[in-house]
Amino acid sequence: MSTDNRDLSRLSINQETVRQLSIPELAEGVTALGITGIGLWRAPVQEYGVEAAAKLVRDAGLTVTSLCRGGFFTASDPDERKAALADNRTAIDEAATLGTDTLVLVSGGLPAGDRDIAAARERVADAIAELAPYAGERGVRLAIEPLHPMYASDRCVVSTLGQALGIAERFPVEQVGVVVDTYHIWWDDQVAAQIARAGAGGRIASFQLADWVTPLPEGVLLGRGQLGDGSIDLRWYREQVDATGFGGPIEVEIFNPRLWEKDGAVALAEIAERYREHVL
């Protein structure tokens, strides 16, 4: 196995990719490989303690490249909407405490019995309009993540990078950007033009990698593949994003039980090798 860590300078490991590791174990594992970026999730951070997690990360010399997740803005019930906005303000505060400038947003699906997906997308935009100024004050950028269309009904009514940009571009660039996640957008024949559009506007807030493998598992959430195991030309995506001038972190975010069953250090080393082989 290669011991050259210089080409890992942009690599970030999302916490859910190796969820078998605690936050201290994750910090230790990535540091051992020379990786300096991690993406964190709210639930395990809250369990560990937001301030404690922030201190641990700082002391380890690591950068938090993103916090997942905010969003779920599509409720039409006023009380549910109010609760969602309050939770997202808390998420913005947590991101600021952790020292990351990127809060990833998953927009939310259709409320029960609702079939008006266009109106649901507008509620997403309305919520972001309320939150974006506060996020800007806290030094946090809201990053709209389009999810694959199979999630549109229950998880995310924003399905394409073009749709995400259509919302993001209504707001100041320093307040709202988009996530380019290979798993969710690889199927889109407009994706090259939309990546260029996002880059030209300075809207790429996060670049995430996972592969597409079939057959998908029941429930589909845990079907993200290890780099190189599936159908996505990951290097092509890295080249497209790089061509826009984006030089930020490349975050590996994989939800896969087989990867979680492995020893955490082994899984991290495998990800680093696959990144070298299929992304660089």
Side-chain angles (χ1 to χ4, degrees), residues 151-243:
Y151 298 111
S153 65
D154 64 342
R155 193 162 295 269
C156 188
V157 296
V158 178
S159 301
T160 69
L161 193 54
Q163 289 170 358
L165 286 165
I167 296 173
E169 288 167 350
R170 305 182 194 187
F171 306 100
V173 67
E174 67 273 11
Q175 293 179 6
V176 185
V178 298
V179 180
V180 176
D181 185 326
T182 57
Y183 180 77
H184 292 300
I185 64 174
W186 75 279
W187 57 275
D188 185 355
D189 65 354
Q190 299 298 309
V191 73
Q194 297 305 323
I195 290 172
R197 172 185 169 189
R203 295 285 176 175
I204 300 177
S206 179
F207 177 34
Q208 296 183 334
L209 300 179
D211 215 335
W212 182 278
V213 293
T214 48
L216 292 172
E218 184 177 357
V220 306
L221 273 178
L222 307 185
R224 289 170 173 252
Q226 170 65 288
L227 308 182
D229 280 355
S231 305
I232 303 176
D233 187 344
L234 299 166
R235 182 173 291 108
W236 181 88
Y237 275 90
R238 195 265 304 159
E239 290 170 347
Q240 294 295 306
V241 171
D242 283 359

Side-chain angles (χ1 to χ4, degrees), residues 19 58 221:
R19 66 184 304 177
R58 285 195 305 270
L221 273 178

Side-chain angles (χ1 to χ4, degrees), residues 70-93:
F72 292 88
F73 297 131
T74 52
S76 52
D77 177 81
D79 290 338
E80 291 180 20
R81 175 182 173 80
K82 183 178 179 180
L85 291 170
D87 183 62
N88 275 270
R89 290 188 182 94
T90 299
I92 290 165
D93 292 340

Side-chain angles (χ1 to χ4, degrees), residues 7 28 36 77 86 91 95 101 133 141 149 174 181 194 223 231 247 249 254 265:
D7 54 1
E28 181 179 356
T36 60
D77 177 81
D101 60 0
R141 197 179 194 195
E174 67 273 11
D181 185 326
Q194 297 305 323
S231 305
I254 301 170

